Amino acid sequence: MCGIIGYVGPRPAQEVLLNGLERLEYRGYDSVGVALLDGSQIQVAKQMGRIAGLREKLAAAPLAGHSGIGHTRWATHGQPSDQNAHPHTDCSGHIAVVHNGIIENEAALRQELIAGGHHFRSETDTEVIAHLIEEADGESLSDAVRAIRQRLRGSYAIAVLDTRHPDEIVVARNEAPLVIGLGEGERFVASDIPAFLPYTRWVVPLEDGDTASLKRDELVLWNAAGERITRQPYVISWSAEAAERSGYTTFMEKEIHEQPRAWRETMRGRLAIVSPRQWELHLDEEAPKPQEWQRLHQLFLIGCGTAYHAAMVGGRFFEQLARVAPTVDLASEFRYRDPIIGPGDIAIFVSQSGETADTLAAMRLAKAQGATTVAVTNVVGSTLAREADRVFYIQAGPEIAVASTKAYTTQVIALALLALDLGHQNGQLNPERAMALVQALLDLPRLGESLLDQSAQWEPLAAAIANASSAFYLGRGLDWAAALEGALKMKEISYVHAEAYAAGELKHGTLALVEAATPVVALITQPHLVEKSLSNLREVKARGASVLAITSEGLSKAVGEVADAVLVLPDIDPLATPVLAALPLQVLALMAATLRGNDVDKPRNLAKSVTVE
Ligand code: G6P
């Protein structure tokens, strides 16, 4: 998984490429490179490490040229190294290629090319593409690229420069994202829109199988069948600044604090209370239709990572509100377990990016077997959004930090709205229950803001975890799902080993790991489970654990008698607490990671958008 940028136009391309790469660094950051075409010559600058390093090098020795391609890498084939950094060139140096994805038949192609006299300089799968284009006959670069696509198996988004076709970039997409930006006399291409947003808001998304030729004043598109096509551009409403840090030290901090606003956006125009006893839900045109809910046979909720945790919380909503017990699954498990799924079933796929490879594959499988597929996603025009039968956009705005925060809580709210809709359509919704939840959902932004205002006080609690080698997160019911997400946040950015357990399970093995001063974060927000949870707290306390309980105001007295420290959430309908509980869990992780001196936005070994299996 990597980030691609390309530019052709009147501006000096180097700056456009570096700026774009900086906005794509969340996609991978082990090495970086650019290729610029100046007259009849391609010049490449690439190296291991972050973009800042390349920027420094190019400040000292700038590359000239008004067209170019750039790449920020997350290694899949070949170690991160200067040689393996993109762009890759052919033997003649006429062609330069950047690539995101994996070419599955790379080994066979490489062997064939070497036998044909080609000389390879890297271990990457990408380099075969440059040599294949070198071999291809064709009047034009786009002919050559379209011809060699027949030979490639796997996923790829590529951008190609050729000295014999100056002022042109040819791009192709298959199972990896790529969008084109249209400016006045200039064209951009990137893995994601923020990369060129400072220059243009006009966007043309590419579909799998598309090839495109970009020139200053021209965009030519071919589909998978080789037909010339046109695709309607659309205009992006969010600003370039919205994709930047706006005063916060890290994107993660910014995104945590944006949540109350994001929640309002998720519900805006969709959920409202119209009289003391009446609420209304208006889902978008693209959301599941009443007749689809009414015909529902089985329900599936599927995602990866944080999105999977949102699906776990969402599963409880469907059970409580619509009396439907969904199968909640990890996309990487679902797709390989030969699931029993068919017409009448609805499968909801939760994904911030809408590009996660396992989630897409699971969606395609469910669709092929006749299920109605629903994307719950943040990215308009993403592959998941385009390919699923129905879409619910969570409207969280761009999320840049690798650790997902605002996407998680908005996904949870989105699933609550879908569960309300199903409960309404299948007649299982208890009116009082529903009214209480609607009220709570609409109250969330206000309560979230006041909770975040207190967040500076949580630093000593975070310090206790930051100094430990491992921590446990406990909860029952909805609190267990919240605990899983809290532990994931902590481990992914602070690197403190954090495990979540259903509180009742601890004594079946894990209790053996609890010893003096082990930090335990206990979530206790569900009134009907307080007694049981307190018993579990006593079990860990008896082994010397230091317990921080996250609880709601009404429960805090009882909980405070057992826990060592208490972090109090405002009282709200218990079904809505996972959204509020996420805030301190995210902030504790952020503070612990900061105290440990980690790169919060770009944790080691991880990437934001996992477009490989
Ligand atoms: C990566 C990210 C996680 C994210 C997961 C699923 O692992 O680091 O934060 O939850 O992918 O991503 P998606 O875009 O499908 O929600």
Side-chain angles (χ1 to χ4, degrees), residues 304-308 350-356 359 399 401-404 411 488-489 492 606-610:
C304 299
T306 289
Y308 167 67
V350 186
S351 172
Q352 187 285 130
S353 61
E355 301 294 349
T356 301
T359 310
E399 189 181 71
V402 166
S404 181
Q411 285 161 353
L488 177 63
K489 282 291 88 80
E492 71 183 327
L606 302 180
K608 179 82 184 148
S609 182
V610 183

